[in-house]
Amino acid sequence: MLVHDAMSTLVLTIGPAHTLRQAARLMSARRIGAAVVHDPDTCGLGILTERDILDAVGAGLDPDVETASTHTTTDVVFASPVWTLEEAAEAMTHGGFRHLIVLDGDGPVGIVSVRDIIRCWAPVRRPRPEMAL
């Protein structure tokens, strides 16, 4: 199975000036764990994850003042849609992260998460007999 089979094509893209609270609201509304941060004035693409926001708030930083640019990971490993899920899982394990931005051509076409990979690898959920009516 390939990354394009597992990835979410719902890609939230935010700017570097978004506050952490704004980013959290957008991520929460879409029920996703990461946002692509597009900053044309610097390196281009980065990623802001729910863990980045949690770490900042846990450290006592103000989510209404802190911006995405300060907490964005810019040293990003990108996946290709034609990577195998094994390749994506290996990159995540090696890098210690849970999301990969999927690039095809000039821009992001999706995000693949550990959860997406597990969903593909896990057996289909069947109702237990005691739960059937």
Side-chain angles (χ1 to χ4, degrees), residues 69-90:
S69 65
T70 307
H71 301 279
T72 296
T73 300
T74 55
D75 184 19
V76 180
V77 175
F78 297 101
S80 165
V82 296
W83 278 14
T84 65
L85 294 184
E86 289 83 4
E87 290 173 306
E90 183 179 323

Side-chain angles (χ1 to χ4, degrees), residues 1-98:
M1 192 167 270
L2 302 177
V3 165
H4 71 76
D5 299 317
M7 72 183 192
S8 170
T9 56
L10 176 60
V11 179
L12 172 63
T13 302
I14 63 173
H18 276 82
T19 66
L20 294 185
R21 185 176 309 278
Q22 290 170 325
R25 281 188 181 137
L26 292 168
M27 290 164 61
S28 178
R30 289 163 180 80
R31 301 185 49 81
I32 57 176
V36 173
V37 181
H38 181 246
D39 188 351
D41 295 332
T42 61
C43 64
L45 296 178
I47 191 165
L48 179 73
T49 67
E50 57 196 355
R51 179 161 299 173
D52 297 326
I53 296 169
L54 183 65
D55 288 346
V57 171
L61 301 176
D62 185 346
D64 292 313
V65 174
E66 293 295 313
T67 60
S69 65
T70 307
H71 301 279
T72 296
T73 300
T74 55
D75 184 19
V76 180
V77 175
F78 297 101
S80 165
V82 296
W83 278 14
T84 65
L85 294 184
E86 289 83 4
E87 290 173 306
E90 183 179 323
M92 290 178 189
T93 301
H94 180 73
F97 43 80
R98 299 178 295 158

